[in-house]
Structures are given as C-alpha cells and as structure tokens.
Amino acid sequence: MLELSGAKILIESLLKEKVEVVFGLPGGQALPIFDAIYGSTLNFILTRHEQAASHMADGYSRSTGKPGVFIVTSGPGATNIVTGLGTAYMDSVPIVAITGQVATSVIGQDAFQEVDTIGITRPVTKHNFLVKDVKDLAKTIKESFYIATTGRPGPVLIDIPIDVQRAVHEFVYPKEVEIRSYKPNNSGHPVQVKKAVDIINNSERPVLYVGTGVVISNAESEIFEVSKKADIPVTNTLLSIGVYPCDSDLSLGMLGMHGTFCANKAVQAADVIIAIGARFDDRCTCKVCDFAKTAKIIHIDIDPTAISKVVDVDIPVVGDAKTVLKEMSVLIEKKERKNWSKLINKWKTEQPLSYDRNDNNLHPQYVIEKISELTKGEAIIVTEVGQHQMWSAQYYKAKRPRLFLSSGGLGTMGFGYPAAIGAKFGNPDKEVIVIAGDGSFQMNMQEMAVAVLNDVSVKVVILNNQYLGNVRQWQEMFYGKRYSHSCLAKRKKCPQWCNTPDRNRCPVYVPDFVKWAESYGTLGIRVTDKKDVIPAIKKMIETKNSVVVDVWIEKEENVFPMVPTGSSLDDVITRISG
Amino acid sequence: MRHMVSVLVENKFGVLARISTLFAARGFNIDSLTVSETEDSAISRMIIVVKGDCSILEQVTKQLNKLVDVIKVNDFNGAGCIERGVALIKINVTRSSRTEIIKLVGVFRARVIDISQDSMIVEITGDEDKINAFMKVVMPYGIKETCRTGFVALGGGHLAGTK
C-alpha cells in the first residue's frame, strides 16, 4: 500500500494526468506542495506574478488543446488569479487551478493570508472544490480534469488546506470518473438534426457562423466539408480565426463590431444562420433586435444555456460541434447557390478591409500584414486587448485553428504576453509572436524574466501609439475628443487636457522598451519608419532568442470598419466623417 | 408569471451558495426558497419560486442544470403539483373582533396558536393563494407582524419520475 502526503498525492496525480508543464508561484500555505515538487519530475515554471501563471496555463491550453495547470498560494495568490480564471471561463478554456489554503482548523478565523477562495472564484470557474479530507484528494483531482475538459470546457479550481497537504493517505488514482449530476451530451438529437438540415437544404442565403466551439472540438475539416458541399459562406468570430481558410471564396471573415463589411452584410441578408459553437456575443450581434431579422436561426452548441440566451433560436441542437456536423453532412444536399455567391462577392469587392497602403506613414495594419506574409500565417499569434487586437484579427491570415490566441469574452489586457509564453511551452518548435499595444504590454511585461531564464523564445511586436488606443478612439468618436486619461505619455508638466498629440512635442515616453528588453539580455529593436518594418520583422524571426520590436505607429490611427455600440450590423462606419 | 422549480442537488456544503450566486449573477429574483434533505441523505431538494416569463424560466432551468452539483431540475409550473407553505400571522384583536376572527380562522382551516388581550397569532398552511386570501380578509383588523416560509412541493401521483 502506497501511503503519501496530500502534497505528494497532488504531484503524482498531475503526473498521472500527463501534465507536461505547471506554472505558478509558491507561498506560505502551499509550501508542502512546493516541497513535494522539489526532486519530482514535474516540470514547474516559476512566474513573476500569479496572474501571469494563470494566463500562461491558458495560452498553453488554447494552443495545444490540453488542459493548463497552475499552482499558487492562498490569499493574495488566490485573488491574483481571478482575472485569469475569468478570462479562461469566458472563452471556455480547460484549466485546473490549484490553490493553497490555511489549515482547516483555522478556516473562517481571518487567518494570515486567508480568503474565501471558493466563494471568490465560484462565478469565474466551471466548478471548484475545497478538499477538507486527504482521502478525497485523488478523486477530486481526477474529477477536476474530467470536468475541465469535457462538455463546454472551463477552469476548475481545487483549494487545498495546508493540513490536507501534510496529511498522509493511501494513493490510488481513480481510473474512471462517475459524477451522477454531470453528464455532458455530445451527439445531437436526430430529430433536431433532421429539422436543421431540412431548413438548410431549402434555404437560398444561408450563412455558417462558427465560434470557439469549432476550435475546441477540432471540427475545422467538418465545417469545410459542409460549407463546400452546400455552398455556404462562413463567418468567424475573434476566437475562431483560422478555422476556415481565409483565402476561400466562401470565407466572409470576422463578424461584428470590427468585422468585415461582407460578413455583416451577409448575416443581415441571410435567410438561415447556422451558428455552431458560437454564443451570439454582443460584439458579434451588435444591436440584438436587429440581428439577422430575416433569418431562421439554427444553433448547435454543447452548452444548452448558450441557446436562446441572447437571440431566440428556431432550431436548437445540443451537442458537440464535430459530432453534430458529421451527422449533418451526410444529410445535407450538394447544392450551388450562384445568386448568393454573386451578392457576397459584390460586397467583398465593394468594401474590402483597407487602409492607406501608399502612405509613407507607419500604419499598424501594414506591420501586421507584413508579419502575416513573412510568417506565412504559420506562426502562433497572441494578442493583448485593444486596437492592435482588432487590427491583428483583420490582417493576420492564420493558416489553421489555434494559431490566433486572444482574450475574447473578458477582454483582458495583460493576457497576451504570459499566454504567449505558455503557448511556447506547449509548442517549442513553433514561432510565437505577441502583437501588443504599449498599454496592454505594460500590464504583465515583468514575465520576460520567465521567457529569458527558461530559454523560451517569444517575440513581441509592440504597436506603440502612446495611448490606450481603443479608449482614445471611443473618446474621439463619441466623447468629443476629450482624451481623458488615455494618453500614456502624459506627464505632470503637460497641459491638463490635451488632444493634439505630436511625437516631437510630447514628453519622452517611458519605458524605453528597447532598453527594457536589453536589461533582460535580449534584443530590442525600435522602428519609427515604414521602410524599417520588413527588415525588423525579418531580424526578429531570424533571432533565436526573445526579441522586442517597438514600432512607433501613427498615434491616432483608428480601427475600421466599426459598428458603434447600440447600432445594428447594417450601420457600419468606415471612417470618421468630417 | 410564477414558477415553482424543484431542484435535486448533492447534499454538500456550498451548494446553496452556488445556486444563490447563480441567481444573483444572472439577475434572476428568488421569491422564496426552501431546502431540505430528502429520504436519501446524500440528496437535498430545493423548491425555488421565481417570477418571470417563460424565457427567464428556460434560462433558470438550463443554468441550474449546468451546475455540477445539480442532479435534476423539474418545473412544477401548473403541472398538478402539490405545494404547501406556512404562515404565522399576528393580528390585532379587540374584544368585539375576536370572535369574528376565530370564525374566519375556522373557515380557512387555520389555527389559533397564541392569544393575548390585544393580539392573536394564527398559523395557516396552504398554497400561496390560500395564504394570500386569508391575509387579505384579516388585513382590516390590522396585521402586526407576519412570518412566512418558502414553499414545499411534490409532483402529484400522476407525475411519475420527478426524482
């Protein structure tokens, strides 16, 4: 009989789950766990902030499809991961989070570094457990991995008090999981599938609206097959970039607030919308009551709560995207829809994504186009959140799913850099490039130590406009150009309010990202001229180690097209008038 | 519209918090709630009364089902379920009104459980309509205080397999 401490049971269980890498940061109430890691074969990566650990696990998971794992201590360790859990929860990323907790004997006494971790994390996890008895530990870990990775995936947290980490019990890792109250359903109901297919077969202007669920269930080839067979155009969300080949005639590009003109037009003109693994997020639907008014809506999703939550659905199909698509593709008729294709092509050519390509000024879209070309869309691109994220979504042509990682639902600034480090741990042979804004990057840039010390090469391209650019754009468009606290260069000596930024007159920007990169012993490159963009990107790709490229872009460049909040998808703005 | 939702859950600590957090986070208002162990001590039954249209109820039901500790959710709405709640009502009485009130108590098959010179406590058991009706008729005498329980409910004999 193998008797182990709770801490050792945890480590052995993680090894049984074939966990390749664990991120985290130690602390008082997790010391027995860290002692058990010492000398074990577990690959543990020490981060500089607990939040970053949670994003690294997230980026590892999004890029590999495997669950991400991290371990932090109680109290502030646990509160620091809330953002990471919320980010993963909104975007359905499987994560198993371990937190230390004060001893069971003092829980509730406001002990040092005690917080109600279970209470705090309940709304941002798929499920969480407080393990009060070491005999339940192995079973709880097994269940956590099962819950995190099945159904609609999500983060699961296990809170382990220090006395449970120390207590000794026989270690048997369960082979099977049986949770009577948790039985995710994968295959669609045949009657519903049949109804959906009948509607599709009789439709003239169908649109496939594919979301993250398609990435999660690896259903890209099934989507391709259905769309080709029945000649149905495909629009994607921010999180499903790469699921459908963007050079295909049937690809509409991204839908929604900053989506393409043709995707938004097509959705509004469609007679059937087939939503798969998408949740009708408000950034996609814009004004809900005007969304696809003429269309019947078929919604395929593994999560029943996603169905008819935002938009009333005509034909709901609860099931896994891949399984249901396979069931459907047999029944779907081969068909050509020439009039529909013609209309879509018209919209495509009428208003393609565009910026002033001949201008000599340094436009951010140009930088992303060049990254896309020079990496052939094969690199893993991780974005932060803001204008650069939308430009990346518009101009990076990802070849496959899981090559474009971004915080969609929660919109977490500071996600990108640590998530990219996590992605590199999962894909050591792939080029991993962060496209960041100067604002977002400053939220977790301390993690460069992790990249450098572990010989993990992550390339960072900062699209530096010295602003919280998205906030500034909204202030320009909807708040009378009152740039309240969106300028990151503003100093005490600046006029109190200023909306006439000029790089030559503005104070020196801090930090100097090049010097900052050099202080970690890595290469920093500054680009202030359009002609230096291509050489800098080439140099960045050639360099084996981490690189930071600080690109000084047009300060007041805006993201277009845009559907303002409260407007319908028909009301696309393509530039600021007058 | 009033909906009565029966939820069978794992009898573990924290499950009530999960359910109430869910209601708060999704903006659903709980009218009343009862929780008790069932004949199987590992399972608790909650009876949750919510008001809202059918789409709200649909979301409530689906969100409840999504919780890992929830075993089964049943909507008892208008489906021949038996519901009971209890109310204690302290009513102002005078010498002249006392007999009248006792008569009303008799009509409603309620019970007088405490009596003093100027007040009386009545216990009434029944569904929401009955309790409300009784409150309405004694209102003119002056109600000093009330305390009501949430409702307990079971599907009637023909509603097989509610568990």
Side-chain angles (χ1 to χ4, degrees), chain A residues 171-288:
Chain A
F171 176 58
V172 183
Y173 199 62
K175 287 205 172 61
E176 304 283 326
V177 181
E178 169 60 32
I179 309 170
R180 64 176 163 186
S181 52
Y182 177 76
K183 310 248 184 255
N185 172 43
N186 280 332
S187 56
H189 194 285
V191 175
Q192 293 299 98
V193 171
K194 178 78 178 44
K195 276 191 202 165
V197 170
D198 284 346
I199 288 181
I200 297 167
N201 287 343
N202 290 316
S203 69
E204 286 171 10
R205 302 182 308 281
V207 170
L208 277 158
Y209 154 40
V210 302
T212 330
V214 175
V215 180
I216 294 167
S217 80
N218 303 312
E220 60 272 15
S221 51
E222 285 75 9
I223 284 283
F224 189 75
E225 195 181 312
V226 167
S227 83
K228 283 282 177 197
K229 189 172 175 190
D231 201 14
I232 308 177
V234 180
T235 180
N236 59 269
T237 65
L238 178 70
L239 298 187
S240 63
I241 287 173
V243 158
Y244 199 79
C246 44
D247 49 5
S248 158
D249 283 346
L250 289 170
S251 168
L252 297 168
M254 188 170 77
L255 167 74
M257 179 176 270
H258 292 299
T260 62
F261 179 76
C262 78
N264 291 350
K265 276 281 173 193
V267 163
Q268 293 301 76
D271 62 352
V272 177
I273 301 277
I274 310 136
I276 309 180
R279 60 184 180 87
F280 295 89
D281 176 68
D282 54 80
R283 288 303 192 258
C284 286
T285 61
C286 295
K287 192 177 179 185
V288 174

Side-chain angles (χ1 to χ4, degrees), chain A residues 89 118-119 122-123 125-130 132 143 147 152 179-182 303-309 312, chain B residues 10-14 17-19 21 25-26 40 42-43 55 58-59 62-71:
Chain A
Y89 184 61
I118 292 299
R122 197 179 289 126
T125 51
K126 183 172 175 185
H127 197 58
N128 59 16
F129 295 96
L130 170 63
K132 283 181 159 175
E143 288 181 356
I147 293 169
R152 178 175 176 175
I179 309 170
R180 64 176 163 186
S181 52
Y182 177 76
D303 176 8
T305 68
I307 292 170
S308 290
K309 181 176 65 183
D312 282 337
Chain B
E10 295 289 347
N11 187 6
K12 291 180 188 164
F13 79 94
R18 270 180 217 288
I19 299 217
T21 307
R26 301 275 164 186
D40 176 350
I43 298 176
S55 66
E58 193 187 326
Q59 259 304 306
K62 289 198 283 196
Q63 292 287 356
L64 285 168
N65 262 316
K66 194 174 167 179
L67 291 176
V68 170
D69 287 332
V70 168
I71 302 167

Side-chain angles (χ1 to χ4, degrees), chain A residues 443-469:
Chain A
M443 286 199 179
N444 263 322
M445 64 183 193
Q446 77 284 344
E447 299 304 317
M448 177 153 264
V450 179
V452 169
L453 298 179
N454 290 288
D455 297 326
V456 165
S457 140
V458 172
K459 316 289 170 66
V460 184
V461 177
I462 303 172
L463 298 179
N464 187 339
N465 56 9
Q466 309 194 350
Y467 276 120
L468 298 167

Side-chain angles (χ1 to χ4, degrees), chain B residues 12-56:
Chain B
K12 291 180 188 164
F13 79 94
V15 176
L16 177 60
R18 270 180 217 288
I19 299 217
S20 58
T21 307
L22 184 154
F23 274 75
R26 301 275 164 186
F28 307 136
N29 214 355
I30 298 179
D31 263 29
S32 77
L33 168 74
T34 59
V35 190
S36 59
E37 229 175 69
T38 62
E39 71 285 0
D40 176 350
S41 65
I43 298 176
S44 290
R45 185 190 292 274
M46 297 187 181
I47 300 290
I48 305 170
V49 178
V50 289
K51 284 206 182 87
D53 58 25
C54 288
S55 66
I56 297 232

